[in-house]
Amino acid sequence: MPEMFRLLDSAQLQTAREAMAATPVAMAALDGTDRLAEYTVDPRQWVGVNGNGMNTVDVMWGAVTKGKQVVSGCGSTDIALHVIEVELVQRSRTLLADTQRSAAIVAGRSRYVYCGYVRGLTPPSCGRCVILAGQPCGSEPFERHPNCDCIAIPTSKTPNTVLTSANEYLDSLSDDQLVKVLGSRANVRAWQDGADLNQLINAYRRKGSVSAAQLYGRRIKYTTEGLTKRGLASSRMISAGYAKEYVKHGGRYMKVDRPRLMPETIYDVCARTGKDPRQMLYDYGWIL
């Protein structure tokens, strides 16, 4: 443990230094103005604490607690050690990402007090992060999923670069990389045909929201996202005749009575029937 914390402290210090060195360069490039710092920032202040000010010892020891819970639940030692390993990696990555974000914004505001920051990608990035690229952030840190390595880019403007623009980032990827980000080759084709990126990514927002089933003797792929009365897809499906009405679903929620087909199934249907896939993508709410 002492050796691990020495390494972690060193990584935090290096991360804070790099963030403060990169910030004025990034601001000059993005804002078009080279600003002088009004005060000196000490990178050592980020060593030993995480994003919300907790001591790193307490944060990392939580991984050991997780491992002990596995043992108390009759899990094997090997499983417990694996859980501890995964937790230590995730906590370290999140801690260093928060160090970068915090140091960058302090360094930015030392040059411009009203400086904000936008979410920047660190390729390769997942779909959830891609649709949030370039999103402005104020005093609140942006949310992260486990192992998220997005960075904060201090700027007084909204930059348009491959790291902060979802479409520019996707345009820079190969076909195989696009499949990994968007989930399937059909989703890539749909995006290229004009489908909204947020609709495609948010279809997978909840675990199990995209499923396969047998319907009318054929295998279909569908999502449960966007089917409530507030969803774009539900109103489109009713207007196009692909759904009839809203039905009670999960207490107070009302959803349409038919599944929302994923692009994969839409392209399959169109190949068999000769229908226009773009029209079906529109009718199912994929194209805005």
Side-chain angles (χ1 to χ4, degrees), residues 10-32:
S10 176
Q12 276 192 290
L13 181 60
Q14 182 179 345
T15 299
R17 284 174 173 167
E18 289 178 352
M20 288 185 288
T23 293
V25 178
M27 290 181 68
L30 297 174
D31 298 346

Side-chain angles (χ1 to χ4, degrees), residues 222-235 237-238 243 245-247 254-261 284:
Y222 68 94
T223 180
T224 56
E225 291 295 321
L227 297 181
T228 63
K229 283 190 173 183
R230 292 185 177 183
L232 170 68
S234 58
S235 60
M237 289 168 62
I238 290 177
E245 59 184 354
Y246 292 98
V247 295
M254 300 285 286
K255 290 191 174 183
V256 289
D257 59 349
R258 294 292 187 274
R260 182 189 185 189
L261 300 184
Y284 277 94

Side-chain angles (χ1 to χ4, degrees), residues 46-230:
W46 280 271
V47 176
V49 293
N50 76 340
N52 62 6
M54 286 182 61
N55 189 291
T56 52
V57 175
D58 295 330
V59 174
M60 303 304 284
W61 190 257
V64 180
T65 303
K66 291 274 188 179
K68 290 183 176 181
Q69 290 172 348
V70 171
V71 175
S72 65
C74 299
S76 69
T77 303
D78 288 342
I79 294 176
L81 290 173
H82 177 68
V83 168
I84 292 173
E85 178 185 12
V86 172
E87 284 286 327
L88 287 174
V89 171
Q90 289 186 349
R91 289 165 189 251
S92 298
R93 288 172 64 100
T94 301
L95 189 148
L96 293 176
D98 285 340
T99 298
Q100 185 279 332
R101 171 188 55 79
S102 180
I105 194 60
V106 171
R109 287 181 177 165
S110 72
R111 287 165 172 79
Y112 180 60
V113 68
Y114 300 110
C115 176
Y117 63 94
V118 298
R119 188 183 188 117
L121 302 176
T122 305
S125 298
C126 70
R128 297 298 305 163
C129 290
V130 170
I131 62 175
L132 296 173
Q135 179 176 315
C137 303
S139 58
E140 294 296 323
F142 48 71
E143 294 184 0
R144 301 182 184 278
H145 59 74
N147 290 330
C148 174
D149 57 2
C150 286
I151 61 173
I153 301 180
T155 176
S156 59
K157 302 178 181 178
T158 302
N160 186 25
T161 69
V162 71
L163 297 183
T164 57
S165 170
N167 286 327
E168 285 197 27
Y169 174 70
L170 294 178
D171 286 338
S172 71
L173 302 180
S174 66
D175 290 344
D176 290 339
Q177 290 171 328
L178 279 172
V179 171
K180 190 173 182 179
V181 173
L182 298 182
S184 71
R185 295 195 180 277
N187 288 350
V188 173
R189 181 181 173 186
W191 175 69
Q192 293 170 340
D193 283 344
D196 181 64
L197 181 60
N198 288 274
Q199 293 289 330
L200 291 172
I201 298 299
N202 286 333
Y204 301 86
R205 183 168 54 180
R206 295 181 179 86
K207 186 178 181 179
S209 57
V210 175
S211 305
Q214 289 293 122
L215 188 65
Y216 306 125
R218 294 186 180 276
R219 181 181 180 277
I220 68 166
K221 197 170 183 180
Y222 68 94
T223 180
T224 56
E225 291 295 321
L227 297 181
T228 63
K229 283 190 173 183
R230 292 185 177 183

